[in-house]
Amino acid sequence: MPYPTDRKYTKEHEWITPDGAIGITTYAQDSLGDIVFVELPKVGTEITTGKSFGTVESVKAVSDLYAPVSGTVTAVNEALATAPEQVNKDAHGSWMIKITPKNPEEQNALLSAADYDKFVSEEAGH
Amino acid sequence: MSVAEASPSIVPKNVRKTALNAVHRQMGAKMVEFNGWDMPVEYPASIGCGIVNEHMAVRTGVGVFDVSHMGDIRLAGREALAAVQHISMNDASRLAIGQAQYSALLYPQGTFVDDIIVHRLGEDEYLLVINAGTREKDFSWVRDNTRQFDCKLEHLSDDFTQIAIQGPKAVDLLQKLTDANLSAVKFYWVTRGTLSGLKNILLGRTGYTAEDGFEIYIPSDEDTSARVWYEILEAGKDFGVVPCGLGARNTLRLEGNLSLYGHEISDTINVWEAGLDRFCKMEKPDFIGRAALEQAKAAGLKKTLVGLEMIDRGIARDGYKVLDAGGREIGYVTSGSPAPFLKKNIALAYVPTEQAAIGNTLLVEIRGQGVKAQVVPAPFYKRPKKT
């Protein structure tokens, strides 16, 4: 599965672009199934690395969204409130929040597309 | 986020598999452990599946489920009826040969060992269909409590692959594969016929989807099971048939207010609380649990199962707290989910009887917030009457 190389990934299946847009991966949306609800923080909220910043719900399950890095929320994708299924259709094109990172260098420690691909292949047991 | 639902390609040890396990994996189903069984939760979007599509197929067309994890107990002999009457809360003496009824096995406290379907297959022959997670417990219970009766008991759970064909097009689909006259079989009746070349197959017009359909019981060898599964899918192509997993099975039964063991019913919930009065026949000869139920009725009902529909944004889930309008904890959600056909967020919950009036506004605690919900009639969905 090709993962875009213009961003970094976490083992919790989030991605973050260099300009601070955050979403979940294709692997994550596929594992969740039909997404019916996305709960996101308000603009101005401080998010902290590894801590929950929101929730995504599919028909069958509730999952926390974990911050890939620390920062302050500058924008929220309001379209997902009424069309959460967009995440199923285009996970890598559906950003959830945008942040101003607290420390821009924090992203360097995250997974590259190739490393993430390898990680999910192992997680899926292939 | 956490992906707890990912399907391992190797079945964990001590988890049981149905004869169709390899078929599910080959079709790309997402597998989960359910009550000790490795079962499909949903099939992939690439073949038109996913919980929502599977759910909608059953409401508007037809879907096929592997429900071989369900168990089967056969009672036969001179006192088989007396034995069934003793352990089952419904009145089996009302069953004609070929007829079935929903019932439950009760503890002396009037709470649930399990809910079951009782089929009368012959003059003195009954088949109890029981839940996957309670197979061994149920069999021991039935064995220990029917010793005094002259009847033979057999645990047939591993003898059958049980497949459910459900939806308004289920009869049309299945009729293509059998010589039995299916339209002559009424709801909760069974027949036998040749199916896909297999003789004398039991076909029951039953299900767990609040929709029309059949459940069929075929030999449990892998080759036969796979062959029939694929023949059903092939025969259903014109009707848009899809394979369905436990995810859709759960949302379908929830829309129809059908109880799930361990959720709406359990060893701590009694028949009156669960609202299953119409399947409990107090006027029939004594049965296990009857005395306690009589006392419970006289004492009055403290809590009761209600349907909830979320008013504000939020999804109630199993185990969430129910609060009164003032924020005081008064009950809990037994099952909650988005309802794909109704396009609402619904739940079943236990609340004190004085809070159970239709239209009453309550709160469901979702991640620390009280989210508004309303008591509504259950079932949430009733299938349209045939014209």
Side-chain angles (χ1 to χ4, degrees):
Chain A
M1 194 184 287
Y3 287 92
T5 53
D6 62 351
R7 62 194 78 184
K8 294 282 199 170
Y9 298 85
T10 70
K11 289 186 176 179
E12 287 75 37
H13 310 285
E14 281 88 17
W15 53 257
I16 179 167
T17 61
D19 60 352
I22 295 172
I24 65 169
T25 67
T26 291
Y27 175 84
Q29 70 75 23
D30 184 60
S31 299
L32 285 168
D34 297 306
I35 292 170
V36 292
F37 191 86
V38 180
E39 196 169 58
L40 299 170
K42 290 187 172 63
V43 169
T45 306
E46 299 278 336
I47 66 170
T48 308
T49 310
K51 294 278 194 312
S52 171
F53 70 83
T55 310
V56 56
E57 296 197 43
S58 66
V59 174
K60 66 180 189 286
V62 185
S63 294
D64 278 318
L65 296 161
Y66 297 109
V69 298
S70 295
T72 307
V73 178
T74 57
V76 176
N77 188 349
E78 303 290 352
L80 297 181
T82 50
E85 68 278 7
Q86 195 54 38
V87 180
N88 288 122
K89 288 178 188 150
D90 182 12
H92 297 147
S94 301
W95 63 276
M96 292 179 168
I97 57 171
K98 288 181 180 169
I99 62 161
T100 302
K102 203 170 175 180
N103 170 11
E105 285 177 14
E106 204 185 340
Q107 277 203 44
N108 298 341
L110 300 176
L111 301 174
S112 68
D115 289 344
Y116 178 72
D117 198 0
K118 191 167 166 240
F119 171 71
V120 294
S121 298
E122 281 163 9
E123 185 168 85
H126 294 306
Chain B
M1 47 159 269
S2 50
V3 181
E5 303 278 347
S7 37
S9 58
I10 299 159
V11 185
K13 275 183 194 165
N14 304 322
V15 172
R16 289 193 268 185
K17 297 189 283 183
T18 73
L20 289 166
N21 190 276
V23 170
H24 302 316
R25 288 177 174 274
Q26 196 177 355
M27 294 184 82
K30 226 172 273 170
M31 306 298 286
V32 291
E33 195 205 314
F34 175 76
N35 285 336
W37 289 79
D38 183 54
M39 297 296 289
V41 64
E42 63 180 348
Y43 295 82
S46 57
I47 58 166
C49 288
I51 293 176
V52 173
N53 288 343
E54 292 165 25
H55 183 112
M56 295 304 284
V58 172
R59 287 275 177 263
T60 61
V62 56
V64 182
F65 304 76
D66 174 15
V67 290
S68 308
H69 58 314
M70 303 290 287
D72 314 273
I73 300 172
R74 181 174 175 269
L75 292 105
R78 198 174 60 84
E79 292 185 318
L81 173 61
V84 172
Q85 288 288 64
H86 181 60
I87 54 168
S88 162
M89 71 179 190
N90 207 332
D91 186 357
S93 73
R94 298 183 186 192
L95 294 174
I97 294 173
Q99 199 177 5
Q101 68 187 182
Y102 179 79
S103 186
L105 308 173
L106 302 178
Y107 289 110
Q109 298 85 346
T111 61
F112 294 86
V113 178
D114 196 10
D115 62 342
I116 60 173
I117 295 178
V118 179
H119 300 76
R120 186 177 179 203
L121 298 183
E123 186 59 38
D124 293 312
E125 183 190 358
Y126 294 85
L127 183 74
L128 314 182
V129 175
I130 58 176
N131 280 303
T134 49
R135 270 186 180 190
E136 280 66 34
K137 180 185 83 168
D138 289 8
F139 184 75
S140 303
W141 180 262
V142 172
R143 186 192 56 211
D144 294 348
N145 289 284
T146 57
R147 286 189 203 280
Q148 64 272 43
F149 299 99
D150 177 14
C151 74
K152 193 179 160 209
L153 192 65
E154 286 175 284
H155 194 180
L156 302 180
S157 297
D158 296 329
D159 293 13
F160 298 119
T161 282
Q162 186 180 340
I163 299 174
I165 301 100
Q166 302 279 301
K169 296 289 180 198
V171 172
D172 293 342
L173 186 163
L174 198 60
Q175 192 62 75
K176 291 171 75 175
L177 299 175
T178 179
D179 61 350
N181 180 9
L182 299 181
S183 60
V185 182
K186 288 182 269 182
F187 195 56
Y188 266 72
W189 283 72
V190 300
T191 191
R192 283 182 182 276
T194 299
L195 177 116
S196 294
L198 304 164
K199 292 206 174 69
N200 200 27
I201 296 299
L202 183 66
L203 312 165
R205 198 160 192 168
T206 53
Y208 193 50
T209 58
E211 213 58 65
D212 191 11
F214 274 82
E215 292 179 291
I216 65 170
Y217 302 78
I218 61 171
S220 61
D221 66 279
E222 286 187 27
D223 289 349
T224 304
S225 302
R227 180 172 66 82
V228 173
W229 175 264
Y230 284 121
E231 280 184 28
I232 292 168
L233 290 179
E234 183 63 31
K237 266 189 179 162
D238 296 343
F239 307 115
V241 68
V242 296
C244 302
L246 293 183
R249 186 169 159 84
N250 186 53
T251 52
L252 288 159
R253 69 95 196 164
L254 177 57
E255 282 186 347
N257 185 27
L258 301 172
S259 296
L260 174 61
Y261 194 82
H263 292 247
E264 287 71 40
I265 58 176
S266 73
D267 56 5
T268 61
I269 296 291
N270 76 35
V271 175
W272 313 136
E273 292 165 338
L276 295 174
D277 310 31
R278 68 190 184 283
F279 303 104
C280 182
K281 300 296 189 279
M282 296 295 277
E283 66 277 14
K284 78 167 199 178
D286 197 23
F287 58 94
I288 300 173
R290 188 183 180 287
L293 287 176
E294 202 150 80
Q295 285 177 12
K297 183 151 263 182
L301 206 55
K302 306 276 188 302
K303 64 176 174 183
T304 188
L305 191 68
V306 294
L308 293 179
E309 184 180 314
M310 300 307 296
I311 299 172
D312 288 341
R313 232 168 85 86
I315 302 167
R317 300 282 183 180
D318 309 11
Y320 284 11
K321 290 173 187 167
V322 176
L323 318 174
D324 66 13
R328 189 174 59 95
E329 183 178 344
I330 56 162
Y332 61 97
V333 172
T334 55
S335 299
S337 171
F341 183 78
L342 301 171
K343 299 188 169 45
K344 291 169 179 170
N345 295 325
I346 60 171
L348 292 169
Y350 277 107
V351 300
T353 43
E354 64 271 18
Q355 293 280 357
I358 303 292
N360 189 31
T361 300
L362 297 171
L363 304 172
V364 176
E365 190 179 289
I366 303 176
R367 294 183 281 282
Q369 301 280 324
V371 180
K372 247 190 222 172
Q374 193 175 39
V375 178
V376 296
F380 307 92
Y381 169 85
K382 279 183 190 162
R383 74 180 139 117
K385 291 263 182 285
K386 285 235 166 103
T387 50

